[in-house]
Amino acid sequence: MAVTVSLVALCGLVLFFLLRSHSLTAGSAFTAAGFGFFLASTGAAEPINRLVTALVDAIPAL
């Protein structure tokens, strides 16, 4: 778990700087995929899934 969290932080930091510098290349896509993969294996996955589900359920009520 500790290794996964540090990889999430590292991928997130790299992705932040790539997006901020407007360097959207294949490397950015690979970093974003890695960030999502590692984020899905942390404890943050369930709250994110609940948030997305709530947003999708709220759309028809608009």
Side-chain angles (χ1 to χ4, degrees):
M1 181 70 163
V3 173
T4 303
V5 172
S6 63
L7 286 175
V8 168
L10 178 65
C11 285
L13 186 65
V14 169
L15 186 59
F16 171 77
F17 285 115
L18 286 173
L19 291 173
R20 188 163 165 90
S21 68
H22 303 288
S23 298
L24 300 177
T25 61
S28 298
F30 182 73
T31 303
F35 179 68
F37 177 77
F38 290 119
L39 185 63
S41 63
T42 65
E46 186 61 32
I48 292 171
N49 285 335
R50 280 192 233 134
L51 175 67
V52 171
T53 302
L55 289 173
V56 169
D57 289 342
I59 290 173
L62 293 178

